[in-house]
Structure formats: structure tokens, C-alpha cells
């Protein structure tokens, strides 16, 4: 299936969408290009692609872990009845370990802004400016990447 992308971006329901022509027919589908706050930061050239990829990996694990929308102060892993599928639990452990590692290495400020980004909450102008500081975002993505490397080594 060949995909042809248009460079034109349209705004609908406060989301940026762009047409994508599929195959050799005249079929068109509209694709949302800024589904998350992180996507928006990349599209507005606020963060670099490398930093985006590292933070997007963490956000993907956060979403798959089931932590999205959890308002509890503790994340106690609950056993699943009659099933031995612990992939969500492992991802939760990975994400919460990474967030704790960020807090320990870089401080509460970095941890709080990372959690806001992972929760896909709207950022204030001050927070967007924080992400515009390439040194701060670079430091954050470096530590996240460092944690993933330690995690993978076991």
C-alpha cells in the first residue's frame, strides 16, 4: 500500500489533521498529527526529534501500562485472577521506576513536568518555554534513556 502525504495541515476540533492518500485510488483518510502534548511540542519545533523519540517511548509504555487517568497516590500492583499476564505490571514497574529515577537524579521539578507530559495535560506558557530549553529537555531525555539502558541490562 503506497501512502502519499499532503503537507497541508487543517485544524478540526482543536487537533491538527492532514490528508493521506492511500493506494492508487482517490481514497483519502485524515490522520491526526498532534494527538498528544508531546506531538504538539514536536510539530511546533519546541523539542528536537531525538528527545521526542525518547520521551515518546516512555509515554507509550505509560499508556500501555494502564496508568493513564489513575488518580491514586500509590500504584500498588494487583494480581490478576486466573491469568498470568503480567506485562501491564512490568510496564507499570518500568514507568514508575523511571519517574522515580528522574526525581532522584534531576529533582522534583523535572519529575512534575514529566508527569504532566505523560498525563497529556495542557502545558502552560511557562512549561512550554521549559521544553524550549534544549539543555533541560536534553538532560531529561538523557536520563530517561539511561534508565531504559539500565532496565534492559537487567
Amino acid at each position: 500500500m503506497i501512502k502519499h502525504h499532503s503537507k497541508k495541515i487543517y485544524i478540526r476540533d482543536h487537533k491538527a489533521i492532514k490528508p493521506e492518500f492511500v493506494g492508487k485510488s482517490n481514497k483519502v483518510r485524515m490522520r491526526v498529527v498532534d494527538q498528544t502534548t508531546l506531538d504538539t511540542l514536536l510539530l511546533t519545533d519546541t523539542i528536537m526529534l531525538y528527545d521526542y523519540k525518547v520521551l515518546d517511548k516512555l509515554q507509550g509504555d505509560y499508556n500501555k501500562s494502564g496508568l493513564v487517568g489513575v488518580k491514586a497516590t500509590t500504584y500498588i500492583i494487583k494480581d490478576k485472577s486466573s491469568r498470568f499476564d503480567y506485562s501491564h505490571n512490568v510496564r507499570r514497574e518500568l514507568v514508575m521506576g523511571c519517574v522515580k529515577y528522574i526525581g532522584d537524579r534531576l529533582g522534583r521539578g523535572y519529575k512534575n513536568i514529566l508527569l504532566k507530559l505523560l498525563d497529556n495535560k495542557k502545558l502552560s506558557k511557562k512549561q512550554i518555554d521549559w521544553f524550549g530549553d534544549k539543555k533541560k529537555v536534553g538532560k531529561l531525555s538523557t536520563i530517561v534513556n539511561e534508565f531504559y539502558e539500565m532496565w534492559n541490562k537487567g
Side-chain angles (χ1 to χ4, degrees):
M1 183 182 304
I2 299 172
K3 295 180 185 175
H4 301 282
H5 299 283
S6 170
K7 294 183 192 257
K8 180 100 171 135
I9 294 178
Y10 303 92
I11 303 297
R12 180 171 180 170
D13 297 327
H14 307 290
K15 293 289 179 193
I17 57 174
K18 78 180 192 180
E20 184 174 90
F21 299 96
V22 182
K24 294 181 180 180
S25 69
N26 289 332
K27 292 182 181 179
V28 177
R29 71 175 177 188
M30 301 303 275
R31 187 168 62 94
V32 177
V33 292
D34 67 342
Q35 280 187 298
T36 65
T37 303
L38 186 59
D39 293 342
T40 304
L41 290 173
L42 179 66
L43 286 173
T44 57
D45 291 327
T46 306
I47 61 172
M48 304 294 287
L49 182 59
Y50 172 79
D51 300 324
Y52 171 83
K53 286 181 179 181
V54 172
L55 296 173
D56 187 52
K57 180 176 175 68
L58 178 61
Q59 188 172 42
D61 286 338
Y62 181 79
N63 293 338
K64 291 174 192 169
S65 72
L67 290 171
V68 176
V70 174
K71 302 293 184 198
T73 56
T74 61
Y75 299 100
I76 299 170
I77 297 172
K78 297 178 183 174
D79 293 331
K80 294 182 179 183
S81 62
S82 73
R83 287 185 42 189
F84 295 102
D85 179 19
Y86 294 105
S87 64
H88 286 2
N89 295 342
V90 172
R91 282 193 207 274
R92 263 189 207 131
E93 197 175 312
L94 166 75
V95 171
M96 294 314 298
C98 186
V99 170
K100 183 179 181 330
Y101 189 71
I102 293 294
D104 293 345
R105 292 287 309 273
L106 299 175
R108 184 181 295 168
Y110 278 85
K111 178 182 170 181
N112 290 342
I113 202 156
L114 176 65
L115 285 171
K116 191 162 187 177
L117 184 68
L118 293 177
D119 280 335
N120 200 32
K121 293 185 178 172
K122 187 170 174 69
L123 300 175
S124 68
K125 172 75 172 123
K126 184 177 178 181
Q127 291 164 332
I128 291 171
D129 291 343
W130 187 95
F131 278 103
D133 185 342
K134 296 186 186 346
K135 287 183 181 178
K136 289 180 181 176
V137 177
K139 192 185 291 186
L140 177 63
S141 66
T142 299
I143 299 299
V144 169
N145 201 36
E146 182 181 295
F147 179 82
Y148 269 92
E149 288 174 2
M150 287 186 330
W151 179 270
N152 290 332
K153 287 181 183 175

